[in-house]
């Protein structure tokens, strides 16, 4: 048993000559109170990364009985760079045999753009709306070990959108993923890359032989997912009640059914993408019923050249070695 253990005024220096970068951690302080196998250990850690604050506080344990029972409680709060605040509360499971976690994760609202700016790093994604990806918050329960991982009661807030989600993953050598995503609303146009400076046809063609696409990872993937979106804006078109069921196995991806409401009408159908061969193929079957042309064209093209309702039955098949066929 140790009543108090501390490290003060510590420092660490990292120099990477290959990239000519230098990172320095100063004012490292670590205080452990009630260090014992029989009681929770109180942790207080603080430091400055390139003169930006980093703190970690909370409790871990009791470790002794935790190893015996296979459950070590933890309750930690992390704050970093004046931008990021995270809480972890739950248990480390079977730390001596098959380590895993069973914890609640909370990430308070922060700005990814400001976080990277505080690290003097450029934002890696260019978006049409420069304010997109400006706010993120997350809550979820995570249970994971070396063989299986699951997320339940997930809630992510992205700008003005809220995503409720759950997911499980297993058989990591041949990933088996199940998920359920429910998004209230999103304007995808905000998150797409900005228009290119010059048309693609004017750009110089890429030199060298085109590399063959490796579809092996997609062939190993097993998917069973459901996507629901209350309100979706894409290419300026407004769509409601999107419902997509996704299944994949052995390189065949099926979207069946696909449903959505738009402009007083609806669209439903199914789609398939097949990568079992080196040359992929795909198909689309879509029925459009009573979609009003005038407001659709007004939103997408700022033009009202047509009026009336649109009905269509579309069957489209495509392959890499033959032209598409539309019926």
């Amino acid at each position: 048993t140790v009543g108090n253990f501390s490290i003060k005024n510590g420092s660490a220096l990292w120099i990477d000559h290959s990239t000519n970068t230098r990172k320095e951690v100063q004012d490292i302080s670590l205080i452990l109170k009630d260090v014992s196998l029989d009681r929770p250990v109180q942790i207080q850690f603080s430091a400055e990364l390139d003169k930006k604050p980093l703190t970690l506080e909370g409790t871990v344990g009791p470790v002794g009985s935790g190893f015996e029972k296979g459950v070590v409680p933890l309750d930690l709060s992390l704050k970093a760079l004046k931008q990021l605040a995270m809480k972890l509360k739950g248990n480390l499971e079977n730390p001596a045999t098959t380590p895993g976690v069973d914890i609640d994760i909370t990430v308070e609202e922060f700005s990814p753009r400001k976080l990277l700016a505080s690290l003097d790093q450029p934002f890696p994604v260019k978006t049409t709306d420069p304010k997109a990806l400006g706010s993120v918050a997350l809550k979820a329960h995570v249970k994971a070990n070396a063989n299986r991982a699951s997320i339940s009661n997930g809630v992510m807030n992205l700008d003005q959108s809220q995503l409720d989600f759950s997911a499980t993953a297993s058989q990591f050598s041949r990933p088996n993923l199940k998920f359920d995503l429910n998004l209230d609303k999103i304007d995808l146009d905000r998150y797409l890359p900005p228009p290119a400076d010059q048309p693609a046809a004017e750009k110089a063609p890429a030199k060298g032989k085109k590399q063959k696409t490796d579809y092996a990872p997609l062939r190993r993937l097993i998917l069973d997912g459901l996507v629901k979106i209350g309100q979706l804006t894409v290419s300026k078109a407004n769509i409601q009640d999107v419902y997509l069921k996704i299944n994949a196995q052995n390189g065949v991806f099926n979207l069946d059914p696909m449903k959505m409401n738009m402009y007083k009408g609806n669209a439903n159908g199914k789609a398939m993408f097949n990568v079992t061969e080196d040359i992929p193929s795909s198909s689309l079957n879509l029925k459009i019923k009573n979609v009003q042309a005038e407001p659709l064209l007004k939103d997408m093209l700022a033009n009202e050249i047509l009026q009336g309702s649109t009905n269509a039955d579309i069957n489209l098949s495509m392959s890499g070695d033959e032209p598409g066929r539309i019926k």
Side-chain angles (χ1 to χ4, degrees), residues 292-306:
Q292 300 302 304
E294 182 178 9
L296 174 61
L297 294 175
K298 183 178 179 181
D299 285 345
M300 295 186 66
L301 305 176
N303 200 322
E304 303 177 39
I305 57 176
L306 292 176

Side-chain angles (χ1 to χ4, degrees), residues 2 31-44 57-63 73 75-76:
V2 178
I31 300 174
L32 304 179
K33 295 182 178 181
D34 282 340
V35 182
S36 168
L37 296 177
D38 301 323
R39 296 188 299 273
V41 178
Q42 299 180 42
I43 301 174
Q44 292 181 346
E57 296 182 351
T59 61
V60 175
V63 177
D75 188 351
L76 299 173

